[in-house]
Coordinates of all heavy atoms in Angstrom, one line a residue:
M19 N 45.4 57.5 -137.5 CA 46.0 58.4 -136.6 C 45.6 59.8 -137.0 O 45.7 60.2 -138.2 CB 47.5 58.3 -136.6 CG 48.2 59.1 -135.6 SD 49.9 58.4 -135.3 CE 50.5 59.6 -134.2
P20 N 45.3 60.7 -136.1 CA 44.8 62.1 -136.5 C 46.0 62.9 -137.0 O 47.1 62.6 -136.7 CB 44.2 62.6 -135.2 CG 44.9 61.9 -134.1 CD 45.1 60.5 -134.6
K21 N 45.6 63.9 -137.7 CA 46.6 64.9 -138.3 C 47.2 65.7 -137.1 O 46.5 66.0 -136.1 CB 46.0 65.8 -139.3 CG 45.6 65.1 -140.6 CD 45.0 66.2 -141.5 CE 44.5 65.5 -142.8 NZ 43.9 66.5 -143.7
M22 N 48.4 66.1 -137.3 CA 49.1 67.0 -136.3 C 48.6 68.4 -136.5 O 48.6 68.9 -137.6 CB 50.6 66.9 -136.5 CG 51.3 67.5 -135.4 SD 53.1 67.1 -135.5 CE 53.8 68.5 -134.7
K23 N 48.2 69.0 -135.4 CA 47.6 70.4 -135.6 C 48.8 71.4 -135.4 O 49.6 71.3 -134.6 CB 46.6 70.7 -134.5 CG 45.3 70.0 -134.8 CD 44.2 70.5 -133.9 CE 42.9 69.9 -134.3 NZ 41.8 70.4 -133.4
T24 N 48.7 72.5 -136.3 CA 49.6 73.6 -136.1 C 49.2 74.5 -135.0 O 48.0 74.7 -134.8 CB 49.6 74.4 -137.4 OG1 49.9 73.6 -138.5 CG2 50.6 75.5 -137.4
N25 N 50.2 75.0 -134.2 CA 49.8 75.9 -133.2 C 49.4 77.2 -133.9 O 50.3 77.9 -134.5 CB 51.1 76.1 -132.3 CG 50.8 77.0 -131.1 OD1 50.4 78.2 -131.3 ND2 50.9 76.5 -129.9
S26 N 48.2 77.7 -133.7 CA 47.7 78.8 -134.5 C 48.4 80.1 -134.0 O 48.6 81.0 -134.8 CB 46.2 78.9 -134.4 OG 45.8 79.0 -133.0
A27 N 48.7 80.2 -132.7 CA 49.4 81.4 -132.2 C 50.8 81.6 -132.9 O 51.2 82.7 -133.3 CB 49.5 81.4 -130.7
A28 N 51.5 80.5 -133.0 CA 52.8 80.5 -133.6 C 52.7 80.8 -135.1 O 53.5 81.6 -135.7 CB 53.5 79.2 -133.5
S29 N 51.7 80.3 -135.8 CA 51.6 80.5 -137.2 C 51.2 82.0 -137.6 O 51.5 82.5 -138.6 CB 50.5 79.6 -137.8 OG 49.2 79.9 -137.3
K30 N 50.5 82.7 -136.6 CA 50.2 84.1 -136.8 C 51.4 85.0 -136.7 O 51.4 86.1 -137.2 CB 49.1 84.5 -135.9 CG 47.8 83.9 -136.1 CD 46.8 84.2 -135.0 CE 45.5 83.4 -135.2 NZ 44.6 83.5 -134.0
R31 N 52.4 84.5 -135.9 CA 53.6 85.4 -135.6 C 54.8 85.1 -136.5 O 55.7 85.9 -136.5 CB 53.9 85.2 -134.1 CG 52.9 85.8 -133.2 CD 53.1 85.3 -131.8 NE 52.3 86.0 -130.8 CZ 51.0 85.9 -130.7 NH1 50.3 85.0 -131.5 NH2 50.3 86.6 -129.9
V32 N 54.8 84.0 -137.2 CA 56.0 83.6 -137.9 C 55.6 83.2 -139.3 O 54.5 82.6 -139.5 CB 56.6 82.3 -137.2 CG1 57.7 81.8 -138.0 CG2 57.1 82.7 -135.8
R33 N 56.4 83.5 -140.3 CA 56.2 83.0 -141.7 C 57.5 82.3 -142.1 O 58.6 82.7 -141.7 CB 55.8 84.1 -142.6 CG 56.9 85.2 -142.9 CD 56.3 86.3 -143.8 NE 57.3 87.3 -143.9 CZ 58.3 87.3 -144.8 NH1 58.5 86.2 -145.5 NH2 59.2 88.3 -144.9
V34 N 57.3 81.3 -143.0 CA 58.4 80.5 -143.5 C 58.8 81.0 -144.9 O 57.9 81.2 -145.7 CB 58.0 79.1 -143.5 CG1 59.2 78.2 -144.0 CG2 57.5 78.6 -142.2
T35 N 60.1 81.2 -145.1 CA 60.6 81.7 -146.4 C 60.7 80.5 -147.3 O 60.5 79.3 -146.9 CB 62.0 82.3 -146.3 OG1 62.9 81.3 -145.8 CG2 62.0 83.5 -145.4
G36 N 61.0 80.7 -148.6 CA 61.1 79.6 -149.5 C 62.2 78.7 -149.2 O 62.2 77.5 -149.5
K37 N 63.3 79.1 -148.6 CA 64.4 78.3 -148.2 C 64.3 77.7 -146.8 O 65.2 77.0 -146.4 CB 65.7 79.1 -148.3 CG 66.0 79.6 -149.7 CD 67.5 79.8 -149.8 CE 67.8 80.1 -151.3 NZ 69.2 80.0 -151.6
G38 N 63.1 77.9 -146.1 CA 62.9 77.3 -144.9 C 63.3 78.1 -143.7 O 63.2 77.6 -142.5
K39 N 63.7 79.4 -143.9 CA 64.1 80.2 -142.7 C 62.7 80.7 -142.1 O 61.7 80.8 -142.8 CB 64.9 81.4 -143.1 CG 66.3 81.0 -143.6 CD 67.0 82.3 -144.0 CE 68.4 82.0 -144.6 NZ 69.0 83.2 -145.2
L40 N 62.8 81.1 -140.8 CA 61.6 81.6 -140.1 C 61.8 83.1 -140.0 O 62.8 83.5 -139.4 CB 61.4 80.9 -138.8 CG 61.1 79.4 -138.8 CD1 60.9 78.9 -137.4 CD2 60.0 79.1 -139.7
M41 N 60.8 83.9 -140.4 CA 60.8 85.3 -140.3 C 59.8 85.7 -139.2 O 58.7 85.1 -139.2 CB 60.5 86.0 -141.6 CG 61.4 85.6 -142.7 SD 63.1 86.3 -142.6 CE 62.8 88.0 -143.0
H42 N 60.1 86.7 -138.4 CA 59.1 87.3 -137.5 C 59.2 88.8 -137.5 O 60.2 89.4 -137.8 CB 59.4 86.7 -136.1 CG 60.6 87.2 -135.4 ND1 60.6 88.2 -134.5 CD2 61.9 86.8 -135.6 CE1 61.9 88.4 -134.1 NE2 62.7 87.6 -134.8
V43 N 58.2 89.4 -137.0 CA 58.1 90.9 -136.9 C 58.7 91.2 -135.6 O 58.4 90.6 -134.6 CB 56.7 91.4 -137.0 CG1 56.6 92.9 -136.9 CG2 56.1 91.0 -138.3
G44 N 59.6 92.2 -135.6 CA 60.3 92.6 -134.3 C 59.3 93.2 -133.3 O 58.2 93.7 -133.7
S45 N 59.7 93.3 -132.1 CA 58.9 93.9 -131.1 C 59.1 95.4 -131.1 O 60.0 95.9 -131.7 CB 59.3 93.3 -129.7 OG 60.6 93.6 -129.4
G46 N 58.2 96.1 -130.4 CA 58.4 97.5 -130.2 C 57.6 98.4 -131.2 O 57.8 99.6 -131.3
M47 N 56.6 97.8 -131.9 CA 55.8 98.6 -132.8 C 54.3 98.5 -132.5 O 53.5 98.8 -133.3 CB 56.0 98.0 -134.3 CG 57.2 98.5 -134.9 SD 57.3 100.3 -135.2 CE 56.1 100.4 -136.6
R48 N 54.0 98.2 -131.2 CA 52.6 98.2 -130.8 C 52.1 99.5 -130.3 O 50.9 99.9 -130.6 CB 52.4 97.1 -129.8 CG 52.7 95.7 -130.2 CD 51.7 95.2 -131.3 NE 52.0 93.8 -131.7 CZ 51.7 93.3 -132.8 NH1 51.1 94.0 -133.7 NH2 52.0 92.1 -133.1
H49 N 52.9 100.2 -129.5 CA 52.4 101.4 -128.9 C 53.6 102.3 -128.6 O 54.7 101.9 -128.8 CB 51.6 101.2 -127.6 CG 52.3 100.3 -126.6 ND1 53.1 100.8 -125.7 CD2 52.3 99.0 -126.4 CE1 53.6 99.9 -124.9 NE2 53.1 98.7 -125.3
N50 N 53.3 103.5 -128.1 CA 54.4 104.5 -127.8 C 55.2 104.8 -129.0 O 56.4 105.0 -128.9 CB 55.3 104.0 -126.6 CG 54.6 103.8 -125.3 OD1 53.5 104.4 -125.1 ND2 55.1 103.1 -124.4
L51 N 54.6 105.0 -130.1 CA 55.3 105.3 -131.4 C 55.6 106.8 -131.5 O 56.4 107.2 -132.4 CB 54.5 104.8 -132.6 CG 54.3 103.2 -132.6 CD1 53.4 102.9 -133.7 CD2 55.6 102.5 -132.6
E52 N 54.9 107.6 -130.8 CA 55.0 109.1 -131.0 C 56.4 109.5 -130.7 O 57.0 110.4 -131.4 CB 54.0 109.8 -130.1 CG 52.6 109.7 -130.5 CD 51.6 110.3 -129.5 OE1 52.0 110.4 -128.3 OE2 50.6 110.7 -129.9
H53 N 57.0 109.0 -129.6 CA 58.4 109.5 -129.2 C 59.5 108.8 -130.0 O 60.6 109.2 -129.8 CB 58.6 109.3 -127.7 CG 58.9 107.9 -127.3 ND1 57.9 107.0 -127.1 CD2 60.1 107.3 -127.0 CE1 58.5 105.9 -126.7 NE2 59.8 106.0 -126.7
K54 N 59.2 107.8 -130.8 CA 60.2 107.1 -131.6 C 60.5 107.9 -132.9 O 59.5 108.4 -133.5 CB 59.8 105.7 -131.9 CG 59.8 104.8 -130.6 CD 59.3 103.4 -130.9 CE 59.3 102.6 -129.6 NZ 58.2 101.7 -129.6
S55 N 61.7 108.0 -133.3 CA 62.0 108.7 -134.5 C 61.5 107.9 -135.7 O 61.3 106.7 -135.6 CB 63.5 108.9 -134.6 OG 64.2 107.7 -134.8
A56 N 61.4 108.6 -136.8 CA 61.0 107.9 -138.1 C 62.0 106.8 -138.5 O 61.6 105.8 -139.0 CB 60.8 108.9 -139.2
R57 N 63.2 107.1 -138.3 CA 64.3 106.1 -138.6 C 64.1 104.8 -137.7 O 64.2 103.7 -138.2 CB 65.6 106.7 -138.4 CG 66.8 105.7 -138.6 CD 68.1 106.3 -138.2 NE 68.6 107.1 -139.3 CZ 69.9 107.6 -139.2 NH1 70.7 107.4 -138.2 NH2 70.3 108.4 -140.2
K58 N 63.8 105.0 -136.5 CA 63.6 103.9 -135.5 C 62.4 103.1 -135.9 O 62.4 101.9 -135.9 CB 63.5 104.5 -134.1 CG 63.3 103.4 -133.1 CD 64.6 102.8 -132.7 CE 64.5 101.9 -131.4 NZ 65.7 101.1 -131.2
R59 N 61.3 103.8 -136.3 CA 60.1 103.1 -136.7 C 60.3 102.3 -137.9 O 59.8 101.2 -138.1 CB 58.9 104.1 -136.8 CG 58.4 104.7 -135.5 CD 57.1 105.3 -135.7 NE 57.1 106.4 -136.7 CZ 57.2 107.7 -136.5 NH1 57.5 108.1 -135.2 NH2 57.2 108.6 -137.4
R60 N 61.0 102.9 -138.9 CA 61.3 102.1 -140.2 C 62.1 100.9 -139.9 O 61.8 99.8 -140.4 CB 62.0 103.0 -141.2 CG 61.1 103.9 -142.0 CD 61.9 104.4 -143.2 NE 63.1 105.1 -142.9 CZ 63.2 106.3 -142.5 NH1 62.1 107.1 -142.4 NH2 64.4 106.9 -142.3
A61 N 63.1 101.0 -139.0 CA 63.9 99.8 -138.7 C 63.1 98.8 -138.0 O 63.3 97.6 -138.2 CB 65.1 100.3 -137.9
L62 N 62.2 99.2 -137.1 CA 61.5 98.2 -136.3 C 60.4 97.5 -137.1 O 60.0 96.4 -136.8 CB 60.8 98.9 -135.1 CG 61.7 99.3 -133.9 CD1 61.0 100.1 -132.9 CD2 62.3 98.0 -133.3
S63 N 59.9 98.2 -138.2 CA 58.8 97.6 -139.0 C 59.3 96.5 -139.9 O 58.5 95.7 -140.4 CB 58.2 98.7 -139.8 OG 59.0 99.1 -140.8
A64 N 60.6 96.3 -140.1 CA 61.2 95.3 -141.0 C 61.1 93.9 -140.3 O 61.3 93.8 -139.1 CB 62.6 95.6 -141.4
D65 N 60.8 92.9 -141.1 CA 60.9 91.5 -140.6 C 62.3 91.1 -140.3 O 63.2 91.6 -141.0 CB 60.2 90.6 -141.6 CG 58.7 90.8 -141.8 OD1 58.2 91.6 -141.0 OD2 58.1 90.1 -142.6
E66 N 62.5 90.2 -139.4 CA 63.8 89.7 -139.0 C 63.8 88.2 -139.1 O 62.8 87.6 -138.9 CB 64.1 90.2 -137.6 CG 64.1 91.6 -137.3 CD 64.1 92.0 -135.8 OE1 63.9 91.1 -135.0 OE2 64.2 93.2 -135.5
V67 N 65.0 87.7 -139.4 CA 65.2 86.2 -139.3 C 65.2 85.8 -137.9 O 65.9 86.4 -137.0 CB 66.5 85.8 -140.0 CG1 66.7 84.3 -140.0 CG2 66.5 86.3 -141.5
M68 N 64.5 84.7 -137.5 CA 64.4 84.3 -136.2 C 65.8 83.7 -135.7 O 66.5 83.1 -136.5 CB 63.3 83.2 -136.0 CG 63.1 82.8 -134.6 SD 61.6 81.9 -134.5 CE 60.4 83.1 -134.4
A69 N 66.1 83.9 -134.4 CA 67.3 83.5 -133.8 C 67.4 81.9 -133.9 O 66.4 81.3 -133.7 CB 67.4 83.9 -132.4
P70 N 68.6 81.4 -134.2 CA 68.7 80.0 -134.3 C 68.3 79.1 -133.1 O 67.8 78.0 -133.3 CB 70.2 79.8 -134.6 CG 70.7 81.1 -135.0 CD 69.8 82.1 -134.4
N71 N 68.4 79.7 -131.9 CA 68.1 78.9 -130.7 C 66.5 78.8 -130.6 O 66.0 78.0 -129.9 CB 68.7 79.5 -129.5 CG 68.4 80.9 -129.3 OD1 67.8 81.6 -130.2 ND2 68.7 81.4 -128.1
Q72 N 65.8 79.7 -131.3 CA 64.3 79.6 -131.2 C 63.7 78.8 -132.3 O 62.6 78.4 -132.2 CB 63.7 81.1 -131.2 CG 64.1 81.9 -130.0 CD 63.5 83.3 -130.2 OE1 63.4 83.8 -131.3 NE2 63.1 83.9 -129.1
V73 N 64.5 78.6 -133.4 CA 63.9 78.0 -134.6 C 63.5 76.6 -134.3 O 62.4 76.2 -134.8 CB 65.0 78.1 -135.8 CG1 64.6 77.2 -136.9 CG2 65.2 79.5 -136.2
K74 N 64.3 75.8 -133.6 CA 63.9 74.4 -133.4 C 62.6 74.3 -132.6 O 61.7 73.5 -133.0 CB 65.1 73.8 -132.6 CG 64.9 72.3 -132.4 CD 66.1 71.7 -131.6 CE 65.9 70.2 -131.4 NZ 66.9 69.6 -130.7
R75 N 62.4 75.1 -131.6 CA 61.2 75.1 -130.8 C 60.0 75.5 -131.7 O 58.9 75.0 -131.6 CB 61.3 76.0 -129.6 CG 60.4 75.7 -128.5 CD 60.7 76.6 -127.3 NE 62.1 76.7 -127.0 CZ 62.7 77.9 -126.8 NH1 62.0 79.0 -126.9 NH2 64.0 78.0 -126.5
M76 N 60.2 76.6 -132.5 CA 59.1 77.1 -133.3 C 58.7 76.2 -134.4 O 57.5 76.0 -134.7 CB 59.5 78.5 -133.9 CG 58.4 79.3 -134.5 SD 57.0 79.6 -133.4 CE 57.7 80.9 -132.3
K77 N 59.7 75.5 -135.0 CA 59.3 74.5 -136.1 C 58.5 73.4 -135.5 O 57.7 72.8 -136.2 CB 60.6 74.0 -136.7 CG 61.2 75.0 -137.7 CD 62.3 74.3 -138.5 CE 62.7 75.3 -139.6 NZ 63.8 74.8 -140.5
N78 N 58.8 73.0 -134.2 CA 58.0 72.0 -133.6 C 56.5 72.4 -133.4 O 55.6 71.7 -133.6 CB 58.6 71.7 -132.2 CG 58.0 70.4 -131.6 OD1 57.4 69.6 -132.3 ND2 58.1 70.4 -130.3
L79 N 56.3 73.7 -133.0 CA 55.0 74.2 -132.9 C 54.2 74.3 -134.2 O 53.0 74.2 -134.3 CB 55.0 75.6 -132.2 CG 55.4 75.7 -130.8 CD1 55.6 77.2 -130.4 CD2 54.4 75.1 -129.9
L80 N 55.0 74.6 -135.3 CA 54.4 74.7 -136.6 C 54.2 73.4 -137.3 O 53.6 73.3 -138.4 CB 55.3 75.6 -137.5 CG 55.5 77.0 -137.1 CD1 56.5 77.7 -138.0 CD2 54.1 77.8 -137.2
G81 N 54.7 72.3 -136.7 CA 54.5 71.0 -137.2 C 55.4 70.7 -138.4 O 55.0 70.0 -139.3
M82 N 56.6 71.2 -138.4 CA 57.5 71.1 -139.5 C 58.6 70.0 -139.2 O 58.9 69.8 -138.1 CB 58.3 72.4 -139.8 CG 57.3 73.5 -140.2 SD 58.1 75.1 -140.4 CE 59.1 74.8 -141.8

């Protein structure tokens, strides 16, 4: 039986912590950064723990 392939798009957007939580980069840091305050940009650049309702679907895409 062939190996299960990881969804490469999902693996680029999500990383798994040592305890198995899924971290993702928040949205809003791609463009229009000039009008955002430095405080807002710092807050948006931090990684966030993925919402529990998305974790099950994302783990399926990652082959976990």
Side-chain angles (χ1 to χ4, degrees):
M19 188 159 175
K21 291 181 181 177
M22 191 169 153
K23 286 195 175 178
T24 306
N25 184 300
S26 59
S29 65
K30 289 171 190 173
R31 288 164 173 77
V32 173
R33 67 182 175 81
V34 184
T35 63
K37 295 204 173 194
K39 294 179 186 173
L40 297 182
M41 302 289 286
H42 69 100
V43 179
S45 60
M47 278 296 286
R48 297 293 184 206
H49 55 86
N50 296 341
L51 299 175
E52 290 174 333
H53 77 277
K54 292 177 181 143
S55 67
R57 177 188 279 187
K58 180 80 170 171
R59 289 197 303 266
R60 274 197 308 276
L62 287 172
S63 68
D65 290 356
E66 302 167 349
V67 178
M68 187 168 275
N71 57 350
Q72 293 178 327
V73 169
K74 186 177 178 183
R75 199 175 320 128
M76 192 57 75
K77 282 190 172 181
N78 189 25
L79 288 172
L80 295 173
M82 299 172 71

